[in-house]
Amino acid sequence: MRADARRNRDRVMSIARALFEQHGPSVEMDEIARQAGVGVGTIYRQFPTKEALMQAVLASHIERVTIAARELAAAPDAGKAFFDLLARIASEFLVKGSLHLAMARAGLTVPEPTEERAEFERALGALLVRAQKAGAVRRGVTAPEVIMLARGALFPSDAHDIPTAMRRRMFEIVCNGLRTRPRR
Amino acid sequence: MRADARRNRDRVMSIARALFEQHGPSVEMDEIARQAGVGVGTIYRQFPTKEALMQAVLASHIERVTIAARELAAAPDAGKAFFDLLARIASEFLVKGSLHLAMARAGLTVPEPTEERAEFERALGALLVRAQKAGAVRRGVTAPEVIMLARGALFPSDAHDIPTAMRRRMFEIVCNGLRTRPRR
């Protein structure tokens, strides 16, 4: 992709993410194009449908966490790095989850971004193992388990309308449960 | 219900629970009657369909936990009582969950036993508050949150085929996260 095409794509994604976050899946492609300062044709060349754009936005939340994990991979305090990543996971996934839910309510489904998810799991796993070796995280727990626990705390099944504060409180309990030296 | 009718019902339920646990929803009513030592007509008088019997079995798992909670309500160590109840919840719910899953796979659905669930939540809440007052469980957490976390750890959405040991490990992390004085 050429540099200016990539810049346009990044702008579109960033505007789309913000608009979807604020207004849900009803946002028009025209409005995204207008705010991103590009023609709507430019968007459609990269994202043939709004669903494709939404799918890219959902995947981008995972990618951002993966990037954060890689940035934290060499941090001096391995325990702090892992729990900083978990905090980032909560923030990104809460936004991603509410878009996902709004899409489901609008009858839209997108496939799970399998590749991005595998990358994310690998990056998380590296930080997890480092934090376990440093004695900050309980041994025996694996990256897929951390992800399942995080999802379960943030998005309990059969409870779609609970407040964000409750989701965060449950997530905090999971984080606490992973620590070998819990904070009161 | 007369005493002998209740005794028959209890026997049928106990045999049905064991057979469903071992063989899933394919167990025949005839076989349950045979092992319970009653005529199949006796079962059908109380449970007009196999689904009705299964629903009663699912509800009985919740009732058993509620009874356990009430028995633990006056135990001297409020923290231990709460975590003993959580251990019991894990065991009953793992059995209940696998029957539930087998039923879903067989295309059977039963409504959630709302009343039993509300009773259970109240009984759990009483133990939770007592354990929080004793300083053994983190403050701010509510009974519905404990239940959502327990379900999320035991039955992560989109992960139906994970081993029981993994479910138990995730449950243990949740338990640990609820403690103010975690065990290593």
Side-chain angles (χ1 to χ4, degrees), chain A residues 144-145 148, chain B residues 94 101 105 152-168 170:
Chain A
E145 288 165 13
M148 283 188 268
Chain B
L94 280 170
L101 183 59
R105 282 187 176 146
L154 295 171
F155 308 106
S157 54
D158 305 336
H160 297 312
D161 290 311
I162 57 174
T164 302
M166 190 183 270
R167 299 181 195 272
R168 286 197 173 273
M170 292 190 284

Coordinates of all heavy atoms in Angstrom, one line a residue, chain A residues 144-145 148, chain B residues 94 101 105 152-168 170:
Chain A
P144 N -4.7 -18.6 27.0 CA -6.2 -18.7 26.6 C -7.1 -18.6 27.8 O -8.2 -18.1 27.7 CB -6.2 -20.2 26.0 CG -4.8 -20.5 25.6 CD -3.9 -19.7 26.5
E145 N -6.6 -19.1 29.0 CA -7.4 -19.0 30.2 C -7.6 -17.6 30.6 O -8.6 -17.2 31.0 CB -6.8 -19.9 31.3 CG -6.9 -21.3 31.1 CD -6.0 -22.2 32.0 OE1 -5.4 -21.7 32.9 OE2 -5.9 -23.4 31.7
M148 N -10.1 -16.1 28.3 CA -11.5 -16.5 28.7 C -12.0 -15.9 29.9 O -13.2 -15.4 30.0 CB -11.5 -18.1 28.8 CG -11.5 -18.8 27.5 SD -11.8 -20.6 27.7 CE -10.1 -21.2 27.9
Chain B
L94 N -20.8 -27.7 37.5 CA -20.1 -28.5 36.4 C -21.0 -29.6 35.9 O -21.1 -29.9 34.7 CB -18.7 -29.0 36.9 CG -17.6 -27.9 36.9 CD1 -16.4 -28.4 37.6 CD2 -17.3 -27.5 35.4
L101 N -25.5 -28.6 28.4 CA -24.8 -28.6 27.1 C -25.3 -29.8 26.3 O -25.6 -29.7 25.1 CB -23.3 -28.7 27.3 CG -22.4 -28.6 26.1 CD1 -22.7 -27.4 25.3 CD2 -20.9 -28.7 26.5
R105 N -27.2 -29.7 22.7 CA -26.7 -30.4 21.5 C -27.8 -31.3 21.0 O -27.8 -31.6 19.8 CB -25.5 -31.3 21.9 CG -24.3 -30.4 21.9 CD -23.0 -31.2 22.1 NE -21.8 -30.2 22.1 CZ -20.7 -30.4 22.8 NH1 -20.6 -31.4 23.6 NH2 -19.8 -29.5 22.7
G152 N -18.8 -17.6 34.3 CA -17.9 -17.2 33.2 C -16.6 -18.1 33.3 O -16.0 -18.4 32.3
A153 N -16.2 -18.4 34.5 CA -15.0 -19.2 34.7 C -15.3 -20.7 34.4 O -14.5 -21.4 33.7 CB -14.5 -19.1 36.1
L154 N -16.5 -21.2 34.8 CA -16.8 -22.6 34.5 C -17.3 -22.9 33.1 O -17.0 -23.9 32.5 CB -17.9 -23.1 35.5 CG -17.5 -23.1 37.0 CD1 -18.7 -23.3 37.9 CD2 -16.4 -24.1 37.3
F155 N -18.0 -21.9 32.5 CA -18.5 -22.1 31.2 C -18.2 -20.9 30.3 O -19.1 -20.1 30.0 CB -20.0 -22.3 31.3 CG -20.4 -23.4 32.2 CD1 -20.9 -23.1 33.4 CD2 -20.1 -24.7 31.9 CE1 -21.2 -24.1 34.4 CE2 -20.4 -25.7 32.8 CZ -21.0 -25.4 34.0
P156 N -17.0 -20.7 29.9 CA -16.6 -19.6 29.0 C -17.4 -19.7 27.7 O -17.5 -20.8 27.2 CB -15.1 -19.8 28.8 CG -14.6 -20.8 29.7 CD -15.8 -21.6 30.1
S157 N -18.0 -18.6 27.3 CA -18.7 -18.6 26.0 C -17.8 -18.9 24.9 O -16.6 -18.6 24.9 CB -19.4 -17.2 25.8 OG -18.5 -16.2 25.9
D158 N -18.3 -19.6 23.9 CA -17.4 -20.0 22.7 C -16.3 -20.9 23.1 O -15.4 -21.0 22.3 CB -16.8 -18.8 22.0 CG -17.9 -17.7 21.6 OD1 -19.0 -18.2 21.5 OD2 -17.5 -16.6 21.5
A159 N -16.4 -21.7 24.2 CA -15.4 -22.7 24.5 C -16.1 -23.8 25.2 O -16.1 -23.9 26.4 CB -14.3 -22.1 25.4
H160 N -16.8 -24.7 24.3 CA -17.6 -25.7 24.9 C -16.8 -27.0 25.2 O -17.3 -27.9 25.9 CB -18.8 -26.1 24.0 CG -19.7 -24.9 23.8 ND1 -20.1 -24.1 24.8 CD2 -20.2 -24.3 22.7 CE1 -20.9 -23.2 24.4 NE2 -20.9 -23.2 23.1
D161 N -15.7 -27.2 24.6 CA -15.0 -28.4 24.7 C -13.7 -28.4 25.5 O -12.8 -29.2 25.3 CB -14.7 -29.0 23.3 CG -16.0 -29.4 22.6 OD1 -16.8 -30.1 23.3 OD2 -16.2 -29.0 21.5
I162 N -13.6 -27.5 26.4 CA -12.4 -27.4 27.3 C -12.5 -28.4 28.4 O -13.6 -28.7 28.9 CB -12.2 -26.0 27.8 CG1 -13.4 -25.5 28.6 CG2 -11.9 -25.0 26.6 CD1 -13.2 -24.2 29.3
P163 N -11.3 -28.9 28.9 CA -11.4 -29.9 29.9 C -11.8 -29.3 31.3 O -11.7 -28.1 31.5 CB -9.9 -30.4 30.0 CG -9.1 -29.4 29.2 CD -10.0 -28.6 28.4
T164 N -12.4 -30.2 32.1 CA -12.9 -29.8 33.4 C -11.8 -29.2 34.3 O -12.0 -28.2 35.0 CB -13.5 -31.0 34.1 OG1 -14.5 -31.6 33.3 CG2 -14.1 -30.7 35.5
A165 N -10.5 -29.8 34.1 CA -9.4 -29.2 34.9 C -9.2 -27.8 34.6 O -8.9 -27.0 35.5 CB -8.2 -30.0 34.6
M166 N -9.4 -27.4 33.3 CA -9.2 -26.0 32.9 C -10.3 -25.1 33.5 O -10.0 -24.0 34.0 CB -9.2 -25.9 31.4 CG -8.8 -24.5 30.9 SD -8.8 -24.4 29.1 CE -7.2 -24.9 28.6
R167 N -11.5 -25.6 33.5 CA -12.6 -24.9 34.1 C -12.4 -24.7 35.6 O -12.6 -23.6 36.1 CB -13.9 -25.7 33.9 CG -14.3 -25.9 32.5 CD -15.7 -26.7 32.4 NE -15.9 -27.2 31.1 CZ -16.5 -26.6 30.1 NH1 -17.0 -25.4 30.3 NH2 -16.7 -27.2 28.9
R168 N -11.9 -25.7 36.3 CA -11.6 -25.6 37.7 C -10.5 -24.6 38.0 O -10.5 -23.9 39.0 CB -11.3 -27.0 38.3 CG -12.6 -27.9 38.4 CD -12.3 -29.0 39.4 NE -13.5 -29.8 39.6 CZ -14.4 -29.5 40.6 NH1 -14.2 -28.5 41.4 NH2 -15.4 -30.3 40.8
M170 N -9.7 -22.0 36.2 CA -10.2 -20.6 36.1 C -11.1 -20.2 37.2 O -11.1 -19.1 37.7 CB -10.9 -20.5 34.7 CG -10.0 -20.6 33.5 SD -10.8 -20.1 32.0 CE -11.7 -21.6 31.6

